[in-house]
Amino acid sequence: MMQAWEVLMFVLMAMAIAGGLVTGAALAPQGFLIAILGAPLGGSLCAALAAFVLMRRRGADWREDADLDARTDAMVASLRALAERGRSTDEVPSASAGTRAA
């Protein structure tokens, strides 16, 4: 099953493709080169408009991402603690290392 962000990316991609095709078709009477050059611009503008509409529909949810920052900071702190513990165990020479060198 697709996650919510995958659906949103699909919507943006579909809007970019549709906007490019519509822009190319609208500019075709002006000339092939103008239509080819204008299609990516129209697709990008349609994708930006779709992103804006999706952002507005999301509403206040984007403000609740502050707890994600706190969880990220906690994960980074735990990873740093694990790395520090790993460094402290590397500093202690093991007994088996001394027997191999001999």
Side-chain angles (χ1 to χ4, degrees):
M1 182 165 182
M2 294 178 72
Q3 295 181 3
W5 63 271
E6 291 173 330
V7 173
L8 294 177
M9 291 306 295
F10 180 76
V11 168
L12 291 178
M13 182 182 66
M15 286 302 296
I17 292 171
L21 291 174
V22 169
T23 303
L27 291 176
Q30 303 300 321
F32 181 73
L33 184 62
I34 292 176
I36 293 295
L37 293 175
L41 296 174
S44 297
L45 287 175
C46 284
L49 180 64
F52 181 74
V53 168
L54 289 172
M55 180 187 70
R56 296 291 293 173
R57 280 191 62 203
R58 189 172 175 197
D61 288 344
W62 65 274
R63 293 186 193 106
E64 296 174 6
D65 288 342
D67 65 332
L68 291 177
D69 291 337
R71 287 191 292 179
T72 302
D73 291 341
M75 284 189 269
V76 168
S78 66
L79 286 173
R80 286 183 178 161
L82 282 173
E84 186 61 36
R85 191 174 352 155
R87 278 190 222 111
S88 67
T89 57
D90 286 344
E91 294 172 359
V92 177
S94 63
S96 62
T99 57
R100 284 189 209 151

PDB file of all heavy atoms in Angstrom, residues 17 30 34 55 71 82 85:
ATOM      1  N   ILE A  17       3.273  16.400 -15.588  1.00  0.00           N
ATOM      2  CA  ILE A  17       3.134  15.811 -16.927  1.00  0.00           C
ATOM      3  C   ILE A  17       1.915  16.401 -17.648  1.00  0.00           C
ATOM      4  O   ILE A  17       2.007  16.803 -18.813  1.00  0.00           O
ATOM      5  CB  ILE A  17       3.037  14.276 -16.829  1.00  0.00           C
ATOM      6  CG1 ILE A  17       4.379  13.710 -16.357  1.00  0.00           C
ATOM      7  CG2 ILE A  17       2.621  13.669 -18.157  1.00  0.00           C
ATOM      8  CD1 ILE A  17       4.343  12.239 -16.011  1.00  0.00           C
ATOM      9  N   GLN A  30       1.690  28.208 -32.224  1.00  0.00           N
ATOM     10  CA  GLN A  30       2.723  29.232 -32.326  1.00  0.00           C
ATOM     11  C   GLN A  30       4.001  28.711 -32.979  1.00  0.00           C
ATOM     12  O   GLN A  30       4.852  29.489 -33.370  1.00  0.00           O
ATOM     13  CB  GLN A  30       3.056  29.789 -30.932  1.00  0.00           C
ATOM     14  CG  GLN A  30       1.877  30.348 -30.191  1.00  0.00           C
ATOM     15  CD  GLN A  30       1.220  31.497 -30.937  1.00  0.00           C
ATOM     16  OE1 GLN A  30       1.897  32.323 -31.541  1.00  0.00           O
ATOM     17  NE2 GLN A  30      -0.112  31.533 -30.923  1.00  0.00           N
ATOM     18  N   ILE A  34       8.586  26.609 -30.047  1.00  0.00           N
ATOM     19  CA  ILE A  34       8.008  27.320 -28.897  1.00  0.00           C
ATOM     20  C   ILE A  34       7.238  26.344 -28.011  1.00  0.00           C
ATOM     21  O   ILE A  34       7.307  26.418 -26.784  1.00  0.00           O
ATOM     22  CB  ILE A  34       7.113  28.482 -29.371  1.00  0.00           C
ATOM     23  CG1 ILE A  34       7.989  29.558 -30.008  1.00  0.00           C
ATOM     24  CG2 ILE A  34       6.302  29.065 -28.220  1.00  0.00           C
ATOM     25  CD1 ILE A  34       7.223  30.702 -30.607  1.00  0.00           C
ATOM     26  N   MET A  55      -0.316  21.949  -0.013  1.00  0.00           N
ATOM     27  CA  MET A  55       0.152  22.554   1.230  1.00  0.00           C
ATOM     28  C   MET A  55      -1.001  23.253   1.949  1.00  0.00           C
ATOM     29  O   MET A  55      -1.142  23.143   3.170  1.00  0.00           O
ATOM     30  CB  MET A  55       1.268  23.553   0.932  1.00  0.00           C
ATOM     31  CG  MET A  55       1.818  24.229   2.163  1.00  0.00           C
ATOM     32  SD  MET A  55       2.985  25.529   1.785  1.00  0.00           S
ATOM     33  CE  MET A  55       1.900  26.765   1.089  1.00  0.00           C
ATOM     34  N   ARG A  71      12.231  14.329  18.278  1.00  0.00           N
ATOM     35  CA  ARG A  71      12.548  12.902  18.157  1.00  0.00           C
ATOM     36  C   ARG A  71      13.841  12.683  17.394  1.00  0.00           C
ATOM     37  O   ARG A  71      14.629  11.806  17.735  1.00  0.00           O
ATOM     38  CB  ARG A  71      11.399  12.161  17.466  1.00  0.00           C
ATOM     39  CG  ARG A  71      10.190  12.009  18.363  1.00  0.00           C
ATOM     40  CD  ARG A  71       9.193  11.065  17.780  1.00  0.00           C
ATOM     41  NE  ARG A  71       8.610  11.654  16.566  1.00  0.00           N
ATOM     42  CZ  ARG A  71       7.703  11.057  15.818  1.00  0.00           C
ATOM     43  NH1 ARG A  71       7.297   9.852  16.131  1.00  0.00           N
ATOM     44  NH2 ARG A  71       7.228  11.639  14.758  1.00  0.00           N
ATOM     45  N   LEU A  82      26.049   5.780  21.600  1.00  0.00           N
ATOM     46  CA  LEU A  82      26.518   4.468  21.154  1.00  0.00           C
ATOM     47  C   LEU A  82      27.897   4.560  20.507  1.00  0.00           C
ATOM     48  O   LEU A  82      28.762   3.702  20.728  1.00  0.00           O
ATOM     49  CB  LEU A  82      25.531   3.866  20.156  1.00  0.00           C
ATOM     50  CG  LEU A  82      24.265   3.264  20.744  1.00  0.00           C
ATOM     51  CD1 LEU A  82      23.319   2.863  19.628  1.00  0.00           C
ATOM     52  CD2 LEU A  82      24.594   2.075  21.606  1.00  0.00           C
ATOM     53  N   ARG A  85      30.433   4.985  23.257  1.00  0.00           N
ATOM     54  CA  ARG A  85      30.651   3.714  23.947  1.00  0.00           C
ATOM     55  C   ARG A  85      31.516   2.790  23.086  1.00  0.00           C
ATOM     56  O   ARG A  85      32.393   2.096  23.584  1.00  0.00           O
ATOM     57  CB  ARG A  85      29.312   3.037  24.253  1.00  0.00           C
ATOM     58  CG  ARG A  85      29.471   1.877  25.189  1.00  0.00           C
ATOM     59  CD  ARG A  85      28.182   1.246  25.648  1.00  0.00           C
ATOM     60  NE  ARG A  85      26.964   1.925  25.282  1.00  0.00           N
ATOM     61  CZ  ARG A  85      25.796   1.312  25.181  1.00  0.00           C
ATOM     62  NH1 ARG A  85      25.707   0.028  25.411  1.00  0.00           N
ATOM     63  NH2 ARG A  85      24.715   1.981  24.860  1.00  0.00           N
TER      64      ARG A  85
END
